[in-house]
């Protein structure tokens, strides 16, 4: 089955700086890569996703890049704000599948 | 436009008791997925249900765990004779179509004493 690894496990950044989280996956057939943000006591919320037919996708201050050859994808948050503090999870899924395989999560802390 | 609803949000059980976790999918969604999150870990797939049918239960322990999604009412994840190792957050997700674009509920945090 799919194995997703996520780094780093914790990340502390100064407000206004950028944050980058990286994930690798094992199943070359995977073609859907969502990112979820989980705030304390809440469920994961989808913030951005990418499919393997594109290499990069942006939505305001967040962007995701995908390198299918190397089997890794990254989340970039620019101009970080205190409300960006949360746990972020990457996930991967093969085509026409419903099982999301999650990374272990990255706890992001934005220092004011 | 309510999202995925789960209740209870917190559940405390003693070893040997039963735990029942409920999930109401988003309006218009007929596909439900249950995931378990252990402390410091990512979510792990347990089971996928469509109305009245279990499609895939490959991630669910064979003993003590069961799930249903009746024609009327919420989906229920049932854990019988709970043990301390069952303590975790259980998340339900739903989708309009079978697939990976899933929307998650707030979770039920189960504590087994």
């Amino acid at each position: 089955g799919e194995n997703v690894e996520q780094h780093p496990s914790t990340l502390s950044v100064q407000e206004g700086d950028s944050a980058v989280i990286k994930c690798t996956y094992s199943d070359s057939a995977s073609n859907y890569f969502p990112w979820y943000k989980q705030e304390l006591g809440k469920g994961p919320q989808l913030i951005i996703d990418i499919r393997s037919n594109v290499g990069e996708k942006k939505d305001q201050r967040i962007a995701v890049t995908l390198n299918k050859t190397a089997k890794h994808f990254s989340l970039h948050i620019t101009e970080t704000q205190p409300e960006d503090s949360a746990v972020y999870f990457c996930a991967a899924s093969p085509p026409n599948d419903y099982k999301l395989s999650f990374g272990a999560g990255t706890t992001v802390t934005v220092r004011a | 436009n309510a999202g995925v609803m789960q209740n209870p949000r917190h559940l405390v059980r003693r070893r040997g008791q039963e735990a029942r976790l409920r999930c109401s999918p988003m309006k218009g969604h007929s596909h439900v997925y249950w995931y378990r999150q252990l402390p410091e870990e990512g979510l792990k797939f347990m089971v996928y249900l469509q109305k009245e049918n279990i499609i895939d239960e490959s991630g669910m322990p064979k003993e003590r765990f069961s799930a249903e999604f009746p024609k009327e009412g919420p989906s229920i994840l049932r854990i019988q004779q709970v043990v301390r190792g069952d303590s975790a957050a259980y998340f339900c997700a739903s989708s309009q179509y079978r697939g990976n674009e899933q929307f998650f509920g707030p979770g039920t945090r189960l504590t087994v004493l």
Side-chain angles (χ1 to χ4, degrees):
Chain A
E2 175 67 276
N3 181 45
V4 177
E5 297 196 354
Q6 184 172 346
H7 300 278
S9 56
T10 60
L11 180 59
S12 179
V13 297
Q14 190 69 38
E15 183 177 359
D17 288 350
S18 295
V20 180
I21 304 169
K22 298 181 180 180
C23 289
T24 61
Y25 61 99
S26 60
D27 187 352
S28 57
S30 288
N31 74 337
Y32 177 65
F33 307 93
W35 286 87
Y36 288 86
K37 175 183 181 182
Q38 186 177 23
E39 296 175 321
L40 195 62
K42 298 184 178 180
Q45 299 297 309
L46 178 69
I47 55 171
I48 194 168
D49 57 12
I50 191 168
R51 295 193 182 272
S52 60
N53 55 342
V54 297
E56 183 175 1
K57 185 176 177 181
K58 286 184 180 179
D59 183 3
Q60 299 183 340
R61 294 187 299 108
I62 59 174
V64 57
T65 59
L66 171 64
N67 183 328
K68 283 224 72 177
T69 304
K71 291 191 284 188
H72 67 70
F73 55 113
S74 301
L75 178 72
H76 304 252
I77 307 173
T78 58
E79 300 172 24
T80 53
Q81 300 168 4
E83 53 264 37
D84 295 329
S85 296
V87 180
Y88 291 81
F89 291 97
C90 63
S93 177
N96 302 315
D97 202 349
Y98 41 81
K99 288 182 191 173
L100 292 170
S101 296
F102 283 83
T106 297
T107 301
V108 173
T109 303
V110 180
R111 307 186 305 272
Chain B
N1 183 19
V4 179
M5 311 279 283
Q6 287 188 252
N7 68 82
R9 296 292 307 277
H10 300 274
L11 183 60
V12 179
R13 285 287 178 266
R14 296 191 180 280
R15 280 178 295 169
Q17 292 185 318
E18 179 180 287
R20 280 187 179 237
L21 289 61
R22 295 175 189 76
C23 167
S24 296
M26 284 180 68
K27 187 176 180 180
H29 288 193
S30 59
H31 302 261
V32 166
Y33 316 82
W34 286 92
Y35 290 80
R36 177 164 64 176
Q37 184 181 32
L38 295 171
E40 310 292 323
E41 294 187 13
L43 287 73
K44 304 282 190 216
F45 169 82
M46 297 181 73
V47 61
Y48 162 39
L49 309 102
Q50 200 179 353
K51 278 289 187 181
E52 300 185 88
N53 292 301
I54 297 175
I55 308 300
D56 181 351
E57 55 184 350
S58 60
M60 196 159 66
K62 303 249 184 305
E63 311 266 330
R64 303 187 297 106
F65 284 72
S66 62
E68 63 178 16
F69 190 13
K71 187 176 180 181
E72 301 291 336
S75 174
I76 295 177
L77 180 68
R78 182 182 178 205
I79 312 172
Q80 295 178 288
Q81 299 174 345
V82 295
V83 301
R84 289 225 173 103
D86 296 333
S87 294
Y90 293 83
F91 291 96
C92 165
S94 74
S95 65
Q96 185 176 10
Y97 306 107
R98 170 185 170 131
N100 41 35
E101 294 188 37
Q102 300 169 16
F103 297 86
F104 283 81
T108 294
R109 280 149 184 85
L110 172 66
T111 302
V112 179
L113 301 177

